[in-house]
Amino acid sequence: MNRRSPNRPPTLEEVAERAGVGRGTASRVINGSVQVSDAARNAVLQAVEELGYVPNRAARSLVTQHTDVVALVVSESEDRLFGEPFFAQVVRGVTNAMARTPRQLLLTMTHREADRGRLNDYLSRQHVDGVLLLSLHDDDPLPGQLTARGVPAVLGGRPHSEVTLPFVDMDNEGGAALAVEHLISSGRRRVASITGPVDMSAGRQRLEGYHQALVGHDFRPLVESGDFSENSGRRSARALLERAPDLDAIFCASDQMAIGAMTELAAAGRRVPDDVAVIGFDDSPISRHTVPSLTTVHQPVEDMGVRMVEMLGQLIEKPAEAVPDVVLPTHLVVRNSA
Amino acid sequence: MNRRSPNRPPTLEEVAERAGVGRGTASRVINGSVQVSDAARNAVLQAVEELGYVPNRAARSLVTQHTDVVALVVSESEDRLFGEPFFAQVVRGVTNAMARTPRQLLLTMTHREADRGRLNDYLSRQHVDGVLLLSLHDDDPLPGQLTARGVPAVLGGRPHSEVTLPFVDMDNEGGAALAVEHLISSGRRRVASITGPVDMSAGRQRLEGYHQALVGHDFRPLVESGDFSENSGRRSARALLERAPDLDAIFCASDQMAIGAMTELAAAGRRVPDDVAVIGFDDSPISRHTVPSLTTVHQPVEDMGVRMVEMLGQLIEKPAEAVPDVVLPTHLVVRNSA
DNA sequence: GAGCGTTATGGGAGCGCTCCCAAAGGTGCG
DNA sequence: CGCACCTTTGGGAGCGCTCCCATAACGCTC
C-alpha cells in the first residue's frame, strides 16, 4: 500500500514512478529542459496527463526562492478604484505588459487599516516577487516596509522625498503649466485653480505648475483645494466664485473636479467658456462628452502601467542594476471649454 | 561562520537560536499557542523584532496544505470590470466580509486566452484555498477545472446546468416579472424587452421573467437582444422602434441598456414615460440621476459578495458538508421613467 | 576494442516550516 | 519522600520540489 493519504494531489514522485523514470528526469520534463530523451519525455508527459499532475508551487517556491507572482497594490477604496477611469487604464497597461512576462498579476486594494497587517506579510518576499504601487499617499508606510524587506517595487507616481523606490511619473508640473499658459495666452486675466489632495505628489505638482505659469505675469494665485472628486470640484468652484466673482478661468487638477466646477458654474449663471474657461487634467473618456467638451491635459496612463511592469521586471531579474526613474510627457488637448 | 548566504531573510531557526529556545517553542510563539512560558514567549518575540522575522509562507503552506488566500476571478475585460458599477459593489461586499476572516483576497481578471493557462495552475490548490467566480459565461471551462482539482469555489450568478458548484444568485426572473407586471398594470399594451447576453444565465432569466409576466395577457413578446452595454441598448431600441412603432414600454435587462434606449427614444421624438415607459435592471447609482430618473429592479449586489464569502468559508472549513445555494430577493424601485 | 568525450539519468541533500513524540521539569498528594 | 500527573520543551521527520553530482549509457576515433 504505497497509496498516499486520502485524495492528495499527485506528486512529482508519483509521476516519475508511473513514467518509469527518476524524479530528476520528471522534473526536467516539467520545467522544459532539453536534456531529456524523447522516450522519457513522452512517458512523463503521459503520466502527467493521466494523473492530472500540477506542480506544487509552495514546494517549488521554497527552493527556487521566487513565486512568479507580482502584486498591484492600490491604496484606495473600492469606490475610487472602480470609480475613476484612471485606474482602469493603468490596469489595462499593466495586464497587457504582464502578458509578455512569465508572471501572474494580483490586484489588491487596501484602504482599511485592518487589512494592512495581512497584506503586509503577504507581500514580504516568498509570496510575491515584486510589487507595483499605485496612488500612494505620503503617510503610507508600505514603501518603507517593502524597502526594508528587500522586495522589488515600482511606484506609479513620484513619491515624497523620503521614499527611495524607483517610480514612473507623469510630467504633472509641465502639463499644468501648459494648461495655465493656454488660459493666459487666450486672454484670461483672473485664473484660479482647484488643486488635488496635497498629500499626493500629483496634487502638489499640478499646483506647482500652476504657480510656475503665473510667474512673470503678475497675477495673484487664487487657489481652492479639492481631492480629485467631482463633489470637491463643485464645492471649490462655489468657494472660488464667492471669493473672486471676477474670475474668468479655472484650472482643475482633475477632470472630475472640472466637471463639478462646470456644473456649479452653470448653476451660477456663468457660461463656459464665454464667461469662465475651464481646463481639467487626465483626459479621461468622459471629457470628450461633457457639454461643452472639456479642454484637458492628456497623460499616457496606459503607458505608465506598461513601463512600471518593465521596470519591475528588470528589478527582479537584475537586482544589482539600478533602474532610472521615468517621467512620461503630458500634453494639452484643446476642446471647447477653454 | 554559521551566517547564511547573502542577505536571505532570517529563518525560524535563527530566531530560536537568538532567543535561546528550540525551534518548536519558537514556532509555538509565532502561531500563538498558549502552552509556552512567559519567559520563552518574550525572548522569542524580542528576537523576532530584532531580526525582522517574517514566516516563510511557502514553507508553511507546504506542510499545512493551505495558504489563507482566496481569489476572486472575474471573467471580463478590464473595461467591463471597471466600467460597470456592479463589480465595484460585489467587490465591496466581498472585501467587507473578508475582513472578518483570516484570509487575504486576491483579484484576478481573465478575458484573454493567454492568461488562462497561468491563472489556471495558479488556482490549483496549494496556492489558493478557494475561488470566488464572477460573471461566468456558459462556455467557460474554469468551473470544470476547479471541480476536477477539488478547489473549493462559489459562483456569483447561477451557472448553466452542467456546472455543479454552489452559487449565490439574484431572483432575476422574479424581478423581471415584477417590472413587466408594473408596466402592464399601469396600462401599457405593447411591452418590448431588450435582453442581456444569452450566454449568461442572468440574461436568460430576465428574459424568462418577461415572458412569464406576459402569460395570460395575450400580449405578443417583442424582443431584441443586447449585451448589457449602453450601445447595445441604443441599437436594440432603434431596431424595436422600426419593428413596432406602436410600442409603449420597454423592459431592459440592465440600466446601461435602459439609458441607451432612453437616448435613442429621445432622438426619435418619443417622450419617456409619456409615450414610452422604460424600466431597467440593477438599480445602479446612475439610475437615480438619469432624466427622467430610471425605474429599475433593485438587486442586493453587495449582499451577494458577502454571502459568497461566507459560503466559501464554510466550504473551506467543512469540506464534507454541502452548502445550499442562495437566491437573493429583488424588488422594483419605481422612479419616473415608468 | 580500448579510450575518450558527450549526453541522459537517478537520487541525495536541503529549502523553512509544522507536527508530534519523547523527555525534562514542576506540582500535589498520600 | 516517592509517585503520578501535568506543563513546557527540544528536535526528528517530512511536506514536494529543484539543484547538482556521480554514474551510466552511448557514440566516436584511432
Side-chain angles (χ1 to χ4, degrees):
Chain A
M1 196 63 192
N2 70 348
R3 209 72 203 93
R4 311 179 52 234
S5 52
N7 68 331
R8 277 276 199 87
T11 69
L12 223 213
E13 197 100 34
E14 290 169 4
V15 170
E17 189 187 342
R18 183 173 192 117
V21 303
R23 186 166 24 81
T25 301
S27 174
R28 252 159 268 154
V29 173
I30 303 292
N31 293 293
S33 161
V34 271
Q35 313 280 60
V36 183
S37 70
D38 286 351
R41 184 190 320 283
N42 291 143
V44 171
L45 258 19
Q46 187 182 340
V48 165
E49 184 66 29
E50 290 170 3
L51 259 27
Y53 171 76
V54 179
N56 181 324
R57 287 187 167 242
R60 178 181 287 177
S61 298
L62 187 54
V63 22
T64 61
Q65 305 287 326
H66 66 252
T67 60
D68 284 339
V69 174
V70 161
L72 172 61
V73 178
V74 183
S75 309
E76 296 289 349
S77 65
E78 302 88 20
D79 293 336
R80 288 205 53 204
L81 173 56
F82 288 98
E84 295 179 22
F86 173 82
F87 295 107
Q89 288 179 52
V90 181
V91 172
R92 187 180 312 119
V94 168
T95 49
N96 285 345
M98 290 287 300
R100 283 179 249 126
T101 76
R103 281 175 274 269
Q104 159 83 20
L105 177 70
L106 255 35
L107 189 55
T108 320
M109 67 231 102
T110 61
H111 52 305
R112 198 189 303 281
E113 272 313 307
D115 298 342
R116 255 9 213 320
R118 267 212 299 285
L119 205 226
N120 224 308
D121 67 73
Y122 185 79
L123 294 184
S124 67
R125 199 98 115 273
Q126 305 312 338
H127 224 56
V128 153
D129 288 350
V131 175
L132 261 18
L133 254 172
L134 221 52
S135 195
L136 195 64
H137 292 255
D138 284 353
D139 58 352
D140 200 316
L142 209 44
Q145 292 162 335
L146 292 174
T147 308
R149 299 234 167 93
V151 179
V154 173
L155 304 179
R158 184 192 307 265
H160 67 139
S161 50
E162 283 156 40
V163 174
T164 56
L165 295 172
F167 62 83
V168 179
D169 196 16
M170 305 295 182
D171 183 8
N172 287 299
E173 200 172 316
L178 241 37
V180 177
E181 277 156 19
H182 173 78
L183 257 11
I184 294 175
S185 69
S186 60
R188 306 290 170 170
R189 302 289 103 175
R190 196 83 178 90
V191 181
S193 179
I194 302 180
T195 74
V198 284
D199 75 331
M200 294 183 69
S201 67
R204 284 194 302 270
Q205 289 177 74
R206 290 171 197 179
L207 175 59
E208 182 56 27
Y210 164 78
H211 281 130
Q212 290 289 323
L214 252 38
V215 165
H217 285 284
D218 192 33
F219 294 165
R220 291 197 312 285
L222 178 58
V223 172
E224 266 303 312
S225 61
D227 61 8
F228 287 152
S229 74
E230 184 173 341
N231 259 334
S232 76
R234 299 183 63 151
R235 191 172 359 90
S236 302
R238 217 175 306 136
L240 246 18
L241 246 17
E242 194 150 316
R243 286 171 53 194
D246 61 326
L247 66 79
D248 60 4
I250 309 181
F251 163 62
C252 304
S254 82
D255 283 353
Q256 300 277 349
M257 294 198 298
I259 290 170
M262 290 206 294
T263 310
E264 203 59 32
L265 252 13
R270 312 290 181 104
R271 290 165 306 167
V272 175
D274 310 56
D275 300 329
V276 179
V278 174
I279 297 188
F281 204 114
D282 283 346
D283 191 19
S284 57
I286 353 114
S287 62
R288 217 177 243 95
H289 302 114
T290 55
V291 184
S293 61
L294 190 63
T295 293
T296 185
V297 179
H298 177 87
Q299 45 178 355
V301 180
E302 209 169 318
D303 285 359
M304 178 167 102
V306 173
R307 298 299 287 271
M308 288 175 72
V309 171
E310 291 170 353
M311 283 172 65
L312 187 59
Q314 283 185 34
L315 239 34
I316 293 172
E317 280 147 31
K318 316 200 177 87
E321 294 176 29
V323 305
D325 298 324
V326 172
V327 176
L328 268 12
T330 51
H331 65 263
L332 189 67
V333 178
V334 179
R335 297 207 181 88
N336 299 320
S337 69
Chain B
M1 195 64 191
N2 71 347
R3 208 73 203 90
R4 309 176 55 233
S5 51
N7 68 332
R8 278 278 199 84
T11 69
L12 223 213
E13 197 99 31
E14 289 169 3
V15 170
E17 190 186 340
R18 182 174 194 117
V21 303
R23 188 168 18 85
T25 303
S27 175
R28 253 159 268 159
V29 173
I30 303 292
N31 293 292
S33 161
V34 271
Q35 311 280 64
V36 183
S37 69
D38 285 351
R41 184 190 321 282
N42 291 143
V44 171
L45 257 19
Q46 189 183 339
V48 165
E49 184 66 30
E50 290 169 0
L51 261 26
Y53 171 76
V54 179
N56 181 322
R57 286 186 166 242
R60 179 182 285 176
S61 297
L62 187 54
V63 21
T64 62
Q65 305 286 324
H66 66 253
T67 59
D68 284 338
V69 174
V70 160
L72 172 60
V73 178
V74 183
S75 311
E76 296 288 351
S77 66
E78 302 91 19
D79 293 337
R80 288 204 56 205
L81 172 56
F82 287 98
E84 294 179 23
F86 173 81
F87 294 107
Q89 287 179 53
V90 180
V91 172
R92 189 181 308 120
V94 168
T95 49
N96 284 344
M98 289 287 298
R100 283 179 248 125
T101 76
R103 280 176 275 270
Q104 159 83 21
L105 178 70
L106 255 33
L107 189 55
T108 320
M109 68 232 100
T110 61
H111 52 306
R112 198 190 303 279
E113 271 314 309
D115 299 343
R116 258 5 213 323
R118 267 212 300 284
L119 206 225
N120 225 311
D121 67 69
Y122 185 79
L123 295 184
S124 67
R125 197 98 113 272
Q126 303 313 336
H127 225 55
V128 150
D129 288 350
V131 175
L132 261 18
L133 253 173
L134 220 54
S135 194
L136 195 65
H137 292 255
D138 284 353
D139 57 353
D140 199 317
L142 209 44
Q145 292 161 336
L146 293 173
T147 308
R149 298 237 167 92
V151 180
V154 173
L155 304 179
R158 183 192 309 265
H160 67 138
S161 49
E162 282 156 38
V163 174
T164 55
L165 296 172
F167 62 82
V168 180
D169 197 16
M170 305 294 183
D171 183 9
N172 286 300
E173 200 172 319
L178 241 38
V180 176
E181 277 156 19
H182 173 78
L183 256 12
I184 295 175
S185 68
S186 60
R188 308 290 171 168
R189 301 290 103 179
R190 195 82 178 91
V191 182
S193 179
I194 302 179
T195 73
V198 284
D199 75 330
M200 294 183 69
S201 67
R204 285 193 301 270
Q205 289 176 74
R206 290 170 197 180
L207 176 59
E208 181 57 28
Y210 164 79
H211 281 130
Q212 290 289 321
L214 253 38
V215 163
H217 284 284
D218 193 30
F219 292 164
R220 291 198 314 285
L222 179 57
V223 173
E224 242 343 283
S225 62
D227 62 7
F228 286 152
S229 75
E230 184 173 340
N231 259 336
S232 75
R234 299 184 62 152
R235 191 173 356 93
S236 301
R238 215 174 309 136
L240 246 20
L241 246 18
E242 192 149 317
R243 285 171 53 195
D246 62 326
L247 64 81
D248 60 4
I250 308 182
F251 163 62
C252 304
S254 82
D255 283 354
Q256 300 278 351
M257 294 197 298
I259 290 169
M262 288 206 298
T263 310
E264 202 59 32
L265 252 14
R270 314 289 181 105
R271 289 166 306 167
V272 175
D274 310 55
D275 300 329
V276 179
V278 173
I279 298 189
F281 204 113
D282 283 347
D283 191 19
S284 57
I286 352 114
S287 61
R288 220 178 241 95
H289 302 114
T290 55
V291 185
S293 62
L294 191 62
T295 293
T296 184
V297 179
H298 177 86
Q299 46 178 354
V301 180
E302 211 170 316
D303 285 0
M304 178 167 102
V306 174
R307 299 298 288 270
M308 287 174 71
V309 171
E310 291 170 354
M311 282 171 66
L312 187 59
Q314 283 184 34
L315 238 35
I316 292 172
E317 280 147 31
K318 314 199 177 87
E321 293 175 30
V323 305
D325 298 324
V326 172
V327 175
L328 266 15
T330 51
H331 65 264
L332 190 67
V333 178
V334 179
R335 298 205 181 89
N336 297 320
S337 70

